[in-house]
Amino acid sequence: MRFNHKVMAITGAAQGIGRQTAIQAAQEGARLLLIDRSRHVHELAATLASGGCQVLALEADLEQWESTEQVFAAGVAHFGQLDVLVNNVGGTIWARPFAEYQPDQIEKEIRRSLFPTLWGCRAALPWMLKQGHGSIVNISSVATGGVNRVPYSAAKGGVNALTRSIAMEYSGSGIRINAVAPRRDRCPGAPRPTQ
């Protein structure tokens, strides 16, 4: 029960890595703020609540700063604290040779797999700094050097860079900031890229 008395926010919680993380965290005593733009996040919340977990599910487009800021503020207002953030939103939209990507597709890939982590860190840090403690885990990817996924690779490379930079900037603040790069074959339910 290592998360007893702790509030954990998980973005992209409706499926894949986010969903599995939520289920595991609930089993280990966490109170959960589940955020996703899919309505399916409420189904997961209901399932976890039926098992005794204190959980709040909110829908938001985390590619946008305003909605990100609002859901984090609502979560802290509900629980009174924020101890752990798992920034999980992202994933390849298209897989193809880079020369075949259209400019708007490149922008969408970057917006999907970089901005939610950037905005999530920005929204969580003030609350964690006020508390004097916290932990942020950014989900990166082993595909930062992948083939046919250049925009996604660039976005996840950006996640690695922002993780290092924020960790250095806030060293000594009581906040730990890390990135992990899970392999798909070790993450049951992780979505496959679409063509």
Side-chain angles (χ1 to χ4, degrees):
M1 302 301 284
R2 62 180 167 159
F3 296 121
N4 262 352
H5 311 297
K6 295 194 181 294
V7 174
M8 179 185 296
I10 303 171
T11 69
Q15 65 177 341
I17 294 170
R19 180 183 177 86
Q20 293 300 119
T21 301
I23 291 168
Q24 184 68 37
Q27 291 170 353
E28 297 188 39
R31 293 181 287 162
L32 295 174
L33 169 61
L34 305 180
I35 308 168
D36 203 292
R37 65 182 173 191
S38 168
R39 292 173 30 202
H40 294 299
V41 73
H42 300 289
E43 297 168 14
L44 174 60
T47 299
L48 297 177
S50 70
C53 179
Q54 294 180 47
V55 58
L56 173 65
L58 297 173
E59 292 177 51
D61 179 0
L62 299 178
E63 294 177 16
Q64 308 300 323
W65 164 246
E66 292 79 11
S67 56
T68 304
E69 183 182 36
Q70 289 168 4
V71 292
F72 276 83
V76 173
H78 181 82
F79 288 112
Q81 66 194 68
L82 177 59
D83 303 292
V84 181
L85 166 61
V86 178
N87 276 313
N88 173 62
V89 174
T92 302
I93 304 171
W94 299 279
R96 59 185 52 152
F98 186 54
E100 296 177 14
Y101 275 91
Q102 297 302 309
D104 66 312
Q105 293 174 332
I106 294 170
E107 288 186 18
K108 286 177 183 175
E109 292 273 8
I110 297 294
R111 183 155 292 282
R112 180 180 187 188
S113 291
L114 177 60
F115 275 88
T117 300
L118 192 67
W119 295 145
C121 289
R122 176 59 184 84
L125 274 169
W127 303 109
M128 291 181 175
L129 288 168
K130 189 174 180 180
Q131 295 168 172
H133 70 272
S135 178
I136 297 174
V137 180
N138 295 327
I139 305 300
S140 182
S141 174
V142 296
T144 51
V147 175
N148 291 339
R149 300 168 78 179
V150 170
Y152 174 77
S153 298
K156 288 301 187 177
V159 167
N160 294 343
L162 74 87
T163 301
R164 284 192 301 271
S165 296
I166 296 170
M168 287 189 292
E169 190 166 319
Y170 291 98
S171 64
S173 68
I175 302 170
R176 290 178 295 119
I177 301 149
N178 295 287
V180 296
R183 289 175 36 185
R184 183 188 325 277
D185 60 345
R186 301 217 177 149
C187 303
R192 300 280 181 190
T194 56
Q195 296 295 328

